[in-house]
Amino acid sequence: MNNKPTTSPAPLRDFLEIPYDQLEEMNLEVKAERESNANVGKIREKRLKYLRDEKRLKAVTVCFSDLEGRLHMLDYDKKFLLGSETNLTFDGSSIRGFSAQQESDLRLSIDWPAFYWLPSDVFGPGKVLVFGEVMDRDGVNPYPADIRAILKRYTEGLFAKDGTVCHAANEIEGFLFKGKDAERRYFETNKFDFVSTGGYYHSLPGDLLRLFIDAAADVQRAMGFKNEKDHPEVAPSQFEMNYSYSQALIAADQIQLYKLLSRQVADKLGLSVSFLPKPVTGVNGNGMHTNMSIAKKGKNIFYDANGEDMLSKAGWDFTDRILTSANDLCLILNASVNAYRRLDPHFEAPNQIKASAIDRGSMVRIPLGNERSKRVEVRSVGPDANPYLAIYSLFRTGLEGAASKGGKLGMLPDNVYSAIDLFESSAHVKKILGADVQKKYAELKRASADRCPRALGTIIKQAEIQFHHEVQNQYLWNQF
């Protein structure tokens, strides 16, 4: 009889896995470094050294977003990336709104400050994530349809000019539905199944909605979001997980990560998250209220203790310019056929082109705030908007747009075709985006609209889901 003790074989793989509390410390350190405008060259060398030294890393996930805001991710083998970091290319003709087939090759430049360590139980072990910039074929100039690069350069230019820093914080609502791939399978069922029928702030500690919120908030925290509060929202199965404000580019990156991690966590629970603005009629839709403030040399210039609603003249001027160009920007902020279902006055819809401290039907709200937190809240942004395009357009309009000449400004468009027409004919949009990007974006939105019923009605149509830009894969798009 063999009494020798048995031993488990040594693990074949030893990939990086970091506890959540340590992840939070590491990601917050990187975020603080990014917010301090540390030298990019030194950060690059630091990151490359880390990748070389950390033997348990196998891959680097590089992210970029297309013109409509769809997030794309490429996993590069770590050793390959270390040898080819300055010569990363991809086929731009495969990305909607990017290059034509005859000029397909585009380059990726890694934005090393925008670096994240990932929870391995959600994203897999042995990986880190970093955002990239899409560059033109010359490798020097940013590709015009990469709005992230435009936002980055715009905010960097403001800071270099006089120390101006743009801050944003987004309140992103979503729905949690039963089953995996609920949006992709909508054509089979024509309905979504709620996981909870509770309402605002109402969720039992152990129900599916609360389990999801808790798990997703843990991932947010680990990724350095600086969580504030989370809760069920007004509609059944609806949620919102709030976090602190950041510099504009970081805030836009976090929107993409918020939606990504929410989907990942839901999928692990056998559920689906939807960021359609109005996936179910008869209940409140999903918004992405966008809070904005501007600081100069560390001082919030939107605060004035003696101003109307404690908002300074600079803050009111900023608000006035946004309201003046509200119709021009409506397609950017409400980017899909489905988004115009949300602009329904029966469900607290922010479709009135005005500002108010209390009226939630106003496009812009002036929340309570102090010297640090005073801000302007644009409530008419849908969660399927391109976050870089929305934040860039709002800040640039608020700072540089035309002022109103008095009089009532009316209501936002109630259908996507009106919004497309206003966007296409806008001199302001042409100025801030350029004629080519204006034309490309309008063409994409008109093509999506033409595949959907013109009359919205009281039932969510299959085409609204099928052609929703966040859930539709490239294969299906390329059939049209």
Side-chain angles (χ1 to χ4, degrees):
M1 184 175 177
N2 184 0
N3 292 320
K4 295 176 72 174
T6 58
T7 57
S8 301
L12 297 177
R13 296 179 178 86
D14 182 21
F15 291 138
L16 184 66
E17 297 186 76
I18 303 173
Y20 273 45
D21 57 344
Q22 189 178 342
L23 279 173
E24 183 179 9
E25 290 179 11
M26 296 166 72
N27 282 317
L28 284 174
E29 183 180 342
V30 166
K31 189 175 189 177
E33 188 178 56
R34 190 177 177 189
E35 290 178 324
S36 70
N37 298 296
N39 182 275
V40 175
K42 290 182 179 179
I43 291 176
R44 173 179 175 269
E45 291 305 315
K46 184 177 177 180
R47 300 285 181 268
L48 290 172
K49 183 180 186 305
Y50 172 78
L51 294 180
R52 284 192 294 268
D53 293 347
E54 179 51 80
K55 305 302 181 187
R56 296 171 297 167
L57 274 176
K58 61 180 177 180
V60 179
T61 300
V62 181
C63 301
F64 68 92
S65 298
D66 64 24
L67 183 54
E68 293 178 283
R70 188 190 293 107
L71 185 66
H72 298 265
M73 297 179 288
L74 298 86
D75 270 14
Y76 285 99
D77 179 87
K78 183 187 78 168
K79 293 176 183 175
F80 172 82
L81 184 135
L82 286 170
S84 308
E85 177 239 346
T86 59
N87 190 35
L88 302 176
T89 62
F90 70 100
D91 181 3
S93 66
S94 297
I95 309 299
R96 280 173 53 81
F98 275 21
S99 60
Q101 188 169 354
Q102 64 271 21
E103 50 179 33
S104 59
D105 284 347
L106 294 174
R107 296 180 181 273
L108 270 179
S109 174
I110 295 179
D111 186 5
W112 286 110
F115 184 93
Y116 292 83
W117 281 274
L118 303 170
S120 58
D121 60 332
V122 176
F123 292 93
K127 291 184 180 182
V128 291
L129 180 146
V130 66
F131 282 87
E133 295 183 23
V134 181
M135 309 298 289
D136 225 329
R137 291 169 60 87
D138 59 14
V140 176
N141 296 303
Y143 187 64
D146 179 13
I147 309 300
R148 184 184 186 278
I150 292 175
L151 171 62
K152 181 181 178 184
R153 280 156 180 76
Y154 181 67
T155 53
E156 286 177 344
L158 291 174
F159 181 76
K161 180 182 176 183
D162 60 5
T164 295
V165 178
C166 299
H167 288 125
N170 300 87
E171 303 167 29
I172 310 165
E173 295 168 331
F175 278 91
L176 187 66
F177 296 129
K178 292 179 182 177
K180 291 191 176 187
D181 297 326
E183 287 178 323
R184 290 179 178 85
R185 301 189 65 184
Y186 185 81
F187 74 94
E188 299 173 8
T189 62
N190 276 327
K191 67 184 181 73
F192 291 120
D193 292 320
F194 297 135
V195 301
S196 167
T197 55
Y200 206 37
Y201 299 153
H202 177 74
S203 179
L204 295 173
D207 73 17
L208 277 174
L209 183 59
R210 175 43 66 182
L211 290 175
F212 161 78
I213 291 174
D214 287 350
D218 285 344
V219 177
Q220 274 187 192
R221 192 177 298 109
M223 293 182 71
F225 274 58
K226 295 185 181 177
N227 292 13
E228 292 187 347
K229 64 181 184 293
D230 54 64
H231 56 85
E233 259 293 345
V234 174
S237 286
Q238 194 178 31
F239 65 89
E240 182 180 305
M241 300 177 292
N242 298 144
Y243 49 89
S244 182
Y245 70 90
S246 303
Q247 291 178 9
L249 183 64
I250 299 174
D253 286 345
Q254 287 183 159
I255 294 170
Q256 298 293 59
L257 293 175
Y258 176 101
K259 294 194 282 189
L260 175 65
L261 70 86
S262 294
R263 289 198 178 94
Q264 291 285 98
V265 170
D267 188 75
K268 286 175 67 67
L269 294 171
L271 306 168
S272 295
V273 160
S274 174
F275 292 108
L276 276 160
K278 192 86 165 181
V280 182
T281 57
V283 297
N284 284 42
N286 288 324
M288 188 169 74
H289 300 167
T290 299
N291 296 275
M292 299 180 294
S293 63
I294 293 175
K296 285 191 178 181
K297 298 178 181 177
K299 181 182 178 182
N300 181 358
I301 67 168
F302 280 8
Y303 177 74
D304 182 352
N306 299 314
E308 182 183 353
D309 296 318
M310 301 180 80
L311 186 67
S312 68
K313 182 180 184 303
W316 280 113
D317 288 346
F318 185 90
T319 301
D320 175 68
R321 294 185 191 104
I322 288 174
L323 294 174
T324 301
S325 296
N327 283 318
D328 306 63
L329 302 181
C330 188
L331 185 67
I332 293 172
L333 309 184
N334 300 276
S336 64
V337 172
N338 186 260
Y340 294 85
R341 289 187 181 275
R342 176 177 165 259
L343 298 181
D344 181 339
H346 295 97
F347 295 94
E348 301 179 359
N351 59 353
Q352 301 170 41
I353 306 176
K354 65 177 186 178
S356 170
I358 54 174
D359 183 357
R360 292 179 181 269
S362 299
M363 178 184 173
V364 176
R365 190 170 78 93
I366 312 301
L368 290 171
N370 56 26
E371 193 171 355
R372 187 180 71 88
S373 66
K374 195 61 185 177
R375 63 202 185 275
V376 166
E377 177 189 13
V378 180
R379 295 173 57 83
S380 56
V381 188
D384 61 347
N386 179 336
Y388 304 103
L389 184 55
I391 289 175
Y392 164 73
S393 300
L394 287 170
F395 272 112
R396 186 156 181 195
T397 301
L399 289 168
E400 301 177 22
S404 71
K405 297 176 183 176
K408 191 173 181 180
L409 294 170
M411 309 282 281
L412 291 170
D414 63 359
N415 69 90
V416 73
Y417 284 101
S418 295
I420 292 170
D421 291 342
L422 290 164
F423 176 90
E424 277 186 310
S425 62
S426 169
H428 175 66
V429 168
K430 184 177 181 180
K431 174 186 173 183
I432 66 174
L433 295 182
D436 288 345
V437 171
Q438 181 184 32
K439 181 173 181 288
K440 277 184 177 180
Y441 187 80
E443 286 174 348
L444 289 172
K445 295 306 175 186
R446 195 175 293 280
S448 295
D450 286 346
R451 298 179 191 125
C452 296
R454 285 175 180 255
L456 291 175
T458 58
I459 299 173
I460 302 289
K461 310 294 197 306
Q462 289 181 12
E464 290 178 59
I465 313 296
Q466 186 178 8
F467 296 109
H468 182 232
H469 77 261
E470 286 196 307
V471 300
Q472 198 58 8
N473 60 49
Q474 291 294 324
Y475 170 75
L476 188 55
W477 276 121
N478 289 337
Q479 293 183 43
F480 294 94

